[in-house]
């Protein structure tokens, strides 16, 4: 099934339907704007952070159709119809997501600027691999930079999450 | 007086000392932190800087016409336009013999490093602002660039600053003890030069400032990623002063209310600080004025303008995504954006991007040390001479000039080892590079050079690194002096030797031998490195006067505690947290003092309208001892006031009052207790107040006794693949003593984060300028912050030595970074069997040192 | 770091995309996964006037397997190929290369073919194309053509793709049970582009090397295959000594340049070390199911 073709000159906008954390947003966006900017400014969810805007730090990582992706390296127009999950979409009325709870228990973060990326990467990791080894955790999180912690507390947080989610008996 | 300790016990709460989970997480982990880029201000305009692509050039002309015409652009300011409405940066930290070149918020006639700002675009969005940058035409005329310490020291090269002597801005020598005697007496003298290349702080959040202009009053609300909001407030206020000195003074003279208030405050200040002021060394000011008398005119204009001003900006720091020293200084961009907003009468924000941050967001540690050690053949150290050079880049950081780092070296260099004499000469040179800022343990290279040198001396004498340290380290009860040769006093109990001895117990030397053999069998080399140090955290009261007489004037910590009429407890700190978990730890401290739950205490920070002045803000490992200290003392004082009122209300003696979980009662009769709200309500009713606190206590805290030293020994095991130069760190151990720990989870995090930065510094990170001062590492593909794959688990052994002080916690923010480069480079030297004299060791360099490949010419 | 303005096009079909390219020529740029193009644009290094987003073209999203080749379409993401059973079975060198490409989040968006079209000299996939003698499928409004890997990579970020063409897919020859390969590299940090790397393949039967491929990356402006070193291996029994002989030819042949992360001498040294290590690992993988 092919979608109709779309085109916009500089300064023109394109209608985009963004599904963010289960809510649909019909937006008119300038195609040059990044998904991260549109989530932060137009949708108003500022939990997704921008640390480098060139794909290295991972602070902007969101789930796009369930897969961790750099929101700084996606145009918002590329996310038309894609299900986006951000850090704001993890907790429910019942409380924090187990990964959030685990990172809290493990005192994983300091300034926490990097935390959205680590949380989203961890959620995807544990979905695909509920009992990762420490080496697997480190490998998976190596796409996210943290300058404060030295990572050990974050790795602890992932291991705590494994337990909270029933993956491994403690 | 009932001591806090017993209260804590009787209340059964005792938050201090426990691994209490962070209250900050409640907002951060659900994405509700409010970092500077998250503040969504109505009608905010966005700024972007046009920056020099040249390391050193003359600006012949600048044309912003096309950029100004771009739809969506509100205004393009040239450097000259902004410089005309701002004052130059203040050479604040003046040291005898130091010249601080005057510079303004923008460059208008000459650029001195890649990234030097020459124009500022204000537009409706950052996208449009960046579009406009591409339309700005600047005619540059290339000049010879000074790209290295060597080039800066060479006479006759192009000068960055006309009034300087070549490219050396200052040279200072300090001598302690009889150095010639020590060198003449010693069996031998060993000399070596150590080089550390440039690094960068690189917090994950870049810098930013959002200036909100009140359209009617013109008042500026400045939101800033600032470690020291109060200083930023006054600095920006001063630099935005436009009136002439005469006009300001006339205005001040007319304002009798202001005049008398100022004179009274000045009198109080002088009365309180007479002694310290008398100690102040003005030779720096004198040498500065000799070089550039115009300094005085600017200072006077700013000073008079501050006296006359009707209004000062408010500075607010909300959540900050790390800083490591880089967000302490007031940056040129801060002043430029504030001036632009103020000129336009419209709100403007600038969020630095990562490339800008790598260009000029803060760089550090490009330093060279030539060390001569006078030593006897048995390894006993006699004397030390250090010739140090610090490359400060083009513009002198403000307010903490890199010269302060040299002053700290002067105090720290001998470390925890006994010496008869020490002399240090430090030169500050200027090069065409970005701004040097304090970076976590700004002086840390003294530990690196010293601990490296110790291993080198040991090798030359046929001793082991353990032997040379054991013989010279200051030992409690054996060889511990009352004061270091360089001035500051030290309390016996805080000995580095304790951590050193404990570390030795934790190293299995037999296992090490086996591991080394095993590594060789795999074509690898394994080595072990040890490094010890002490840091003033915050140091004894005489620490800063040893650094620079008179500066201890600025190192007290203000704080305030209030209880509202409804019983709400609020603690006001002048600290500006950016990852250190102040909110959690201060709640722990205050909750224990008040006998309440942590959630009953509110911590207020970051808003200059609500908190008291602080020159330093958060930095210098002061958050626990100083910031935490003043929280504890003000809370303790208020509790006593509350107990007095409560005793009346309960018709009991003050001595019998106990408070548990906020229940204020006569000890043993909790069922008949009253609450803080009851007590506050009584006070409010008695005094008939509604909109002021029922209780309030403000305090200046100066620290405790001879304490304040944090000490540690780091041990690193490093495994090097001799075929590829790849490095693994199979074990890393920190034995540290920062006194009684408020929250071990927080302390562990600080230590590990610091060690991680040290690992980065040695194996991954370099702010790489070529010889022509072109910056080669302008993105995160080239400036390599290590990932979870490069940083190992770090073992921490705490030794919590108590002293007599009432607030015993000592700082822990910087130590990790101080010890790590030394331990790691010592381990590399041990592994490869060569004495490493440089701090940055990428794989190719390791193989060069190992003799596997030819060094680059 | 915000993208410059551009004219955005999202064609509904490949033909439409090709028509747009025909119209804009040099001014047009294909946007696939965006993991290289978007950072380049955000840094404002030569922004294109027209961006043609092929992300929704279904005809480019498949991995096709025939008796002789595995063909990866232009919009197949790295992650999809990395986890494809067919890729692992028939063209294991591709499967071996992909985990080295950046990080998971990058591989979730970036495409295999985009990486080949981008032709970064330090990238893994172009070297894999050389080592496997892959075939590049190009299409323009005028028709289609195939280009063999050695003719495809022409210089730094320069390939045989004409301004009016799209690289619609790449075919990797299907390997038999006697052939396998691996990619070994040394990078500064995990996930970084390599300082030096090699894609190598061995065909070994009855303890005799019947075929060999060594394609290096991050040592020159394009990936480099060294036939002289491969010839040293042919007809020999796999052994450390044989590998070392090949490695010696490699270090005699290459003339890499230095940069801030690796000196020329270091790169050359790594090329030799990685030749040995890669060949040994390639040999170990023969007959082992992926
Ligand atoms: C942090 C980070 C780390 C990375 N590490 C690595 C690494 O280690 N190794 C590595 O190889 N890569 C690495 N990459 C790059 C990554 O592999 C890219 O995904 C890949 O290079 C480009 O694929 P893409 O689909 O994203 O292409 P795009 O970014 O969309 O396009 C890249 C270029 O190729 C052109 N192009 C793309 N598809 C076609 C086509 N079908 N026809 C014609 N032209 C086309 C585009 O016009 C553009 O010029 C990294 C990227 C990042 C951000
Ligand atoms: S902001 Fe997207 S990876 Fe850094
Ligand atoms: S907690 Fe500060 S960057 Fe990760």
């Amino acid at each position: 099934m092919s979608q109709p073709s779309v085109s916009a000159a500089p300064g023109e906008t394109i209608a985009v339907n963004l599904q963010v954390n289960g809510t649909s947003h019909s937006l008119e966006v300038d195609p040059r704007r990044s998904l991260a900017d549109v989530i932060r400014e137009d949708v108003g969810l500022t939990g997704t952070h921008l640390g480098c805007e060139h794909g290295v730090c991972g602070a902007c990582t969101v789930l796009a159709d369930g897969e961790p992706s750099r929101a700084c390296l996606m145009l918002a127009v590329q996310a038309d119809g894609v299900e986006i999950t951000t850090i704001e979409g993890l907790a429910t009325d019942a409380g924090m997501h187990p990964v959030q709870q685990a990172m809290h228990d493990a005192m994983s973060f300091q300034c926490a600027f990097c935390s959205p990326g680590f949380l989203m990467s961890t959620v995807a990791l544990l979905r695909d691999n509920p009992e990762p080894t420490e080496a697997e955790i480190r490998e998976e999180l190596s796409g996210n930079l943290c300058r404060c912690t030295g990572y050990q507390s974050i790795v602890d947080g992932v291991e705590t999450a494994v337990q909270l989610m029933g993956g491994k008996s403690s | 007086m009932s001591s806090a300790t017993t209260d804590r016990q009787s209340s059964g709460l005792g938050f201090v000392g426990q691994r209490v989970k962070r209250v900050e997480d409640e907002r951060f982990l659900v994405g509700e932190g409010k970092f500077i880029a998250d503040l969504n201000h109505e009608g905010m305009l966005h700024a972007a800087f046009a920056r020099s692509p040249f390391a050193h050039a003359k600006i012949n002309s600048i044309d912003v016409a096309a950029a100004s015409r771009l739809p969506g652009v509100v205004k393009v300011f040239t450097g000259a336009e902004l410089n005309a409405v701002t004052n130059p940066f203040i050479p604040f930290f003046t040291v005898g013999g130091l010249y601080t070149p005057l510079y303004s918020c923008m460059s208008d006639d000459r650029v001195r490093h890649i990234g030097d700002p020459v124009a500022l675009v204000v537009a409706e969005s950052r996208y449009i602002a960046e579009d406009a940058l591409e339309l700005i035409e600047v005619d540059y005329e290339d000049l010879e660039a000074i790209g290295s310490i060597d080039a800066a020291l060479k006479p006759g090269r192009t000068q960055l600053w006309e009034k300087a002597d070549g490219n050396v801005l200052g040279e200072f020598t300090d001598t302690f003890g009889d150095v010639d005697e020590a060198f003449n007496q010693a069996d031998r003298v060993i000399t070596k030069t150590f080089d550390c290349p440039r690094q960068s702080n690189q917090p994950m959040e870049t810098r930013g400032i959002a200036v909100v202009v009140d359209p009617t009053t013109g008042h500026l609300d400045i939101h800033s990623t600032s470690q020291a909001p109060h200083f930023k407030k006054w600095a920006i206020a001063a630099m935005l002063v436009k009136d002439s000195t005469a006009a300001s003074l006339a205005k001040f003279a007319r304002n009798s209310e202001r005049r008398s208030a100022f004179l009274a405050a000045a009198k109080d200040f002088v009365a309180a600080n007479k002694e310290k002021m008398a100690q102040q060394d003005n030779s720096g000011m004198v040498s500065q004025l000799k070089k550039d008398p115009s300094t005085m005119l600017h200072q006077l204009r700013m000073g008079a303008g501050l006296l006359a001003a009707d209004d000062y900006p408010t500075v607010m720091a909300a959540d900050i995504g790390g800083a490591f020293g880089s967000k302490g200084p007031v940056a040129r961009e801060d002043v430029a954006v504030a001036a632009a907003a103020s000129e336009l009468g419209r709100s403007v924000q600038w969020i630095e991007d990562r490339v800008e941050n790598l260009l000029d967001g803060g760089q550090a540690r490009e330093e060279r040390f030539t060390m001569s050690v006078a030593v006897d053949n048995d390894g006993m150290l006699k004397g030390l001479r250090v010739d140090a050079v610090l490359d400060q880049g083009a513009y002198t950081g403000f307010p903490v000039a890199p010269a302060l780092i040299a002053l700290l070296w002067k105090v720290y260099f001998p470390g925890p080892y006994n010496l008869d004499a020490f002399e240090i000469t430090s030169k500050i040179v200027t090069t065409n590079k970005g701004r040097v800022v304090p970076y976590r343990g700004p002086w840390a290279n003294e530990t690196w050079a010293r601990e490296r040198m110790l291993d080198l001396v040991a090798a030359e004498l046929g001793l082991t690194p353990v032997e040379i340290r054991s013989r010279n380290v200051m030992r409690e009860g054996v060889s511990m002096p009352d004061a270091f040769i360089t001035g500051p006093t030290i309390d016996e109990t805080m000995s580095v030797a304790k951590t050193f001895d404990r570390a030795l117990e934790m190293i299995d030397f037999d296992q090490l031998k086996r591991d080394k053999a095993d590594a060789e069998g795999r074509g690898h080399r394994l080595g072990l490195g040890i490094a010890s140090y002490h840091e003033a955290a915050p140091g004894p009261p005489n620490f800063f006067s040893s650094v620079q007489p008179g500066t201890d004037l600025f190192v007290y910590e203000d704080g305030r505690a209030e209880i509202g009429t409804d019983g709400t407890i609020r603690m006001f700190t002048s600290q500006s947290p950016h990852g250190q978990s102040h909110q959690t730890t201060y709640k722990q401290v205050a909750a224990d003092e008040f006998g309440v739950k942590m959630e009953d205490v509110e911590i207020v920070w970051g808003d200059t309208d609500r908190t008291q002045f602080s020159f330093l803000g958060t930095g210098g490992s002061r958050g626990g001892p100083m910031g935490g200290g003043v929280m504890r003392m003000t809370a303790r004082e208020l509790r006593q006031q509350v107990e007095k009122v409560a005793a009346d209300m309960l018709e009991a003696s003050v001595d019998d009052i106990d408070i548990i979980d906020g229940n204020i009662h006569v000890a043993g009769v909790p069922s008949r207790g009253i609450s803080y709200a009851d007590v506050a309500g009584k006070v409010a009713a008695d005094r008939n107040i509604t909109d002021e606190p029922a209780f309030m206590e403000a305090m200046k805290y100066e620290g405790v006794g001879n304490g304040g030293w944090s000490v540690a020994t780091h041990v690193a095991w490093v495994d090097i693949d001799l075929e590829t130069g790849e490095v693994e760190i199979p074990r890393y151990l920190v034995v540290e003593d920062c006194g009684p720990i408020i929250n071990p989870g927080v302390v562990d995090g600080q230590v590990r984060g610091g060690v991680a930065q040290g690992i980065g510094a040695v194996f991954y990170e370099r702010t790489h300028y070529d010889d022509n001062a072109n910056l080669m590492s302008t993105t995160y593909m080239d400036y390599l912050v290590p990932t979870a794959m490069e940083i190992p688990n770090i073992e921490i052994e705490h030794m919590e030595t108590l002293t007599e002080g009432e607030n015993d916690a000592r700082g822990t923010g910087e130590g990790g970074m101080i010890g790590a480069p030394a331990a790691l480079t010592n381990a590399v030297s041990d592994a490869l069997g060569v004495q490493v004299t440089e701090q940055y060791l990428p794989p190719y360099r390791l193989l060069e040192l190992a003799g596997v490949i030819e060094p680059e010419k | 770091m915000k993208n410059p303005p551009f004219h955005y096009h999202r064609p509904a079909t490949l033909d439409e995309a090709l028509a747009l390219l025909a119209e804009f020529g040099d001014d047009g740029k294909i946007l696939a996964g965006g993991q290289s193009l978007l950072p380049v644009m955000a840094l404002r290094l030569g922004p294109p006037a027209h961006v043609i987003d092929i992300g929704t073209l279904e005809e480019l999203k498949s991995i096709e397997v025939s008796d002789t080749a595995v063909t990866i379409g232009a919009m197949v993401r790295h992650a999809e190929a990395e986890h494809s059973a067919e890729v692992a079975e028939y063209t294991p060198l591709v499967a071996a290369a992909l985990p080295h490409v950046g990080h998971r989040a990058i591989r979730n968006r970036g495409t295999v073919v985009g990486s080949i079209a981008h032709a970064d000299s330090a990238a893994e996939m172009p070297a894999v194309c050389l080592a496997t003698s892959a075939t590049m499928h190009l299409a323009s409004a005028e028709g289609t053509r195939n280009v063999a890997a050695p003719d495809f990579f022409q210089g730094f970020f320069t390939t045989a793709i004409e301004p009016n063409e799209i690289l619609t897919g790449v075919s990797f020859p299907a390997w038999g049970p006697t052939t396998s390969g691996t990619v070994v590299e040394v990078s500064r940090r995990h996930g970084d582009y390599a300082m030096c790397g090699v894609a190598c393949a061995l065909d070994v039967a009855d303890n005799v090397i019947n075929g060999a491929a060594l394609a290096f990356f991050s040592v020159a402006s394009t990936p480099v295959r060294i036939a002289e070193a491969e010839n040293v291996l042919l007809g020999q029994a796999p052994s450390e000594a044989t590998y070392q002989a090949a490695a010696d030819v490699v270090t005699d042949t290459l003339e890499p340049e230095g940069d801030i992360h690796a000196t020329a001498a270091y790169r050359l040294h790594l090329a030799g070390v990685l030749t040995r290590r890669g060949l040994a690992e390639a040999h170990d993988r023969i007959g082992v199911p992926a």
Side-chain angles (χ1 to χ4, degrees), chain C residues 11 14 24 26 54 62 69 141 157 174 187 206 222 230 236 243 250 267 270 289:
Chain C
L14 179 59
F24 305 126
D26 268 340
I54 59 171
S62 59
F157 303 109
S187 57
D206 299 331
T222 63
E230 295 167 5
Q236 304 292 315
Y243 305 152
V250 166
R267 283 212 154 88
L270 282 183

Coordinates of all heavy atoms in Angstrom, one line a residue, chain C residues 11 14 24 26 54 62 69 141 157 174 187 206 222 230 236 243 250 267 270 289:
Chain C
P11 N 8.1 10.9 -2.3 CA 7.5 10.2 -3.5 C 6.7 9.0 -3.0 O 7.1 8.4 -2.1 CB 8.6 9.9 -4.4 CG 9.8 9.8 -3.6 CD 9.6 10.7 -2.4
L14 N 8.8 4.4 -6.6 CA 10.2 4.5 -7.0 C 10.3 5.4 -8.2 O 11.2 6.2 -8.4 CB 10.8 3.1 -7.2 CG 12.3 3.1 -7.7 CD1 13.2 3.8 -6.7 CD2 12.7 1.6 -7.9
F24 N 16.1 17.2 -10.5 CA 17.0 18.0 -9.7 C 18.5 17.7 -9.8 O 19.3 18.5 -9.4 CB 16.6 17.9 -8.2 CG 15.1 18.2 -8.0 CD1 14.3 17.4 -7.3 CD2 14.6 19.5 -8.4 CE1 13.0 17.7 -7.1 CE2 13.3 19.8 -8.2 CZ 12.5 18.9 -7.5
D26 N 22.1 17.2 -9.4 CA 23.0 17.4 -8.3 C 22.3 18.1 -7.1 O 22.9 18.0 -6.0 CB 24.1 18.3 -8.8 CG 25.3 17.5 -9.3 OD1 25.4 16.3 -8.9 OD2 26.1 18.0 -10.0
I54 N 13.0 8.4 0.7 CA 12.5 7.1 0.1 C 12.0 6.1 1.2 O 11.8 5.0 0.9 CB 13.6 6.4 -0.8 CG1 14.9 6.2 0.1 CG2 14.0 7.3 -2.0 CD1 15.9 5.3 -0.6
S62 N 12.6 -5.0 1.0 CA 12.7 -6.4 1.2 C 14.1 -7.0 1.1 O 15.0 -6.4 0.4 CB 11.8 -7.2 0.2 OG 12.2 -6.8 -1.1
A69 N 22.2 -15.5 -4.7 CA 22.5 -14.2 -4.0 C 21.4 -13.8 -3.0 O 20.3 -14.3 -3.1 CB 22.6 -13.1 -5.0
A141 N 15.7 7.3 -14.1 CA 14.5 7.4 -15.0 C 14.8 6.7 -16.3 O 13.9 6.3 -17.0 CB 14.1 8.8 -15.1
F157 N 33.7 9.3 0.1 CA 32.2 9.6 -0.1 C 31.9 9.7 -1.5 O 30.9 10.4 -1.9 CB 31.8 10.9 0.6 CG 32.2 10.9 2.1 CD1 33.2 11.7 2.6 CD2 31.4 10.1 3.0 CE1 33.5 11.7 4.0 CE2 31.7 10.1 4.3 CZ 32.8 10.9 4.8
A174 N 25.5 -15.7 -2.6 CA 25.3 -16.7 -1.5 C 26.5 -17.6 -1.4 O 27.0 -18.1 -2.4 CB 24.0 -17.5 -1.9
S187 N 38.4 0.1 17.1 CA 37.9 1.4 17.2 C 38.3 2.0 18.5 O 38.6 1.3 19.5 CB 36.4 1.4 16.9 OG 35.8 0.6 17.9
D206 N 39.1 -29.6 2.6 CA 40.2 -30.5 2.8 C 41.5 -29.9 3.2 O 42.5 -30.1 2.7 CB 40.4 -31.3 1.5 CG 39.2 -32.1 1.1 OD1 38.4 -32.5 2.0 OD2 39.0 -32.3 -0.1
T222 N 39.0 4.8 -0.1 CA 38.0 3.8 -0.4 C 38.4 2.5 0.4 O 39.5 2.4 0.8 CB 37.9 3.4 -1.9 OG1 39.2 2.8 -2.3 CG2 37.7 4.6 -2.8
E230 N 45.8 -12.1 -0.8 CA 44.9 -13.2 -1.0 C 45.6 -14.4 -1.7 O 45.5 -15.5 -1.4 CB 43.6 -12.8 -1.8 CG 42.8 -11.7 -1.0 CD 41.8 -11.1 -1.9 OE1 41.6 -11.5 -3.1 OE2 41.1 -10.1 -1.4
Q236 N 47.2 -23.0 0.1 CA 47.9 -23.3 1.4 C 46.9 -23.9 2.4 O 45.7 -23.8 2.3 CB 48.4 -22.0 2.0 CG 49.3 -21.2 1.1 CD 50.6 -21.9 0.8 OE1 51.3 -22.4 1.7 NE2 51.0 -21.9 -0.5
Y243 N 48.8 -17.1 7.6 CA 48.1 -15.8 7.8 C 49.2 -14.7 8.0 O 49.0 -13.6 7.5 CB 47.3 -15.9 9.1 CG 46.2 -17.0 9.1 CD1 45.8 -17.6 10.3 CD2 45.6 -17.5 7.9 CE1 44.8 -18.6 10.3 CE2 44.7 -18.5 7.9 CZ 44.3 -19.0 9.2 OH 43.4 -20.0 9.2
V250 N 50.2 -7.5 3.3 CA 49.3 -6.4 3.5 C 50.1 -5.2 4.0 O 49.9 -4.0 3.5 CB 48.2 -6.8 4.6 CG1 47.5 -5.6 5.2 CG2 47.2 -7.8 4.0
R267 N 48.0 2.5 12.0 CA 47.0 1.9 11.1 C 47.6 0.7 10.4 O 47.0 -0.3 10.2 CB 46.5 2.9 10.1 CG 45.6 3.9 10.5 CD 44.6 4.3 9.4 NE 43.4 4.8 10.0 CZ 43.2 6.0 10.4 NH1 44.1 7.0 10.2 NH2 42.0 6.4 11.0
L270 N 48.1 -2.2 12.6 CA 46.8 -2.8 12.9 C 46.3 -3.7 11.7 O 45.8 -4.8 11.9 CB 45.7 -1.8 13.1 CG 45.6 -1.1 14.5 CD1 44.4 -0.2 14.6 CD2 45.6 -2.2 15.6
P289 N 27.2 -23.0 12.1 CA 26.0 -22.3 11.8 C 26.0 -20.9 12.5 O 26.4 -20.9 13.7 CB 24.8 -23.2 12.3 CG 25.5 -24.4 12.9 CD 26.9 -24.3 12.9

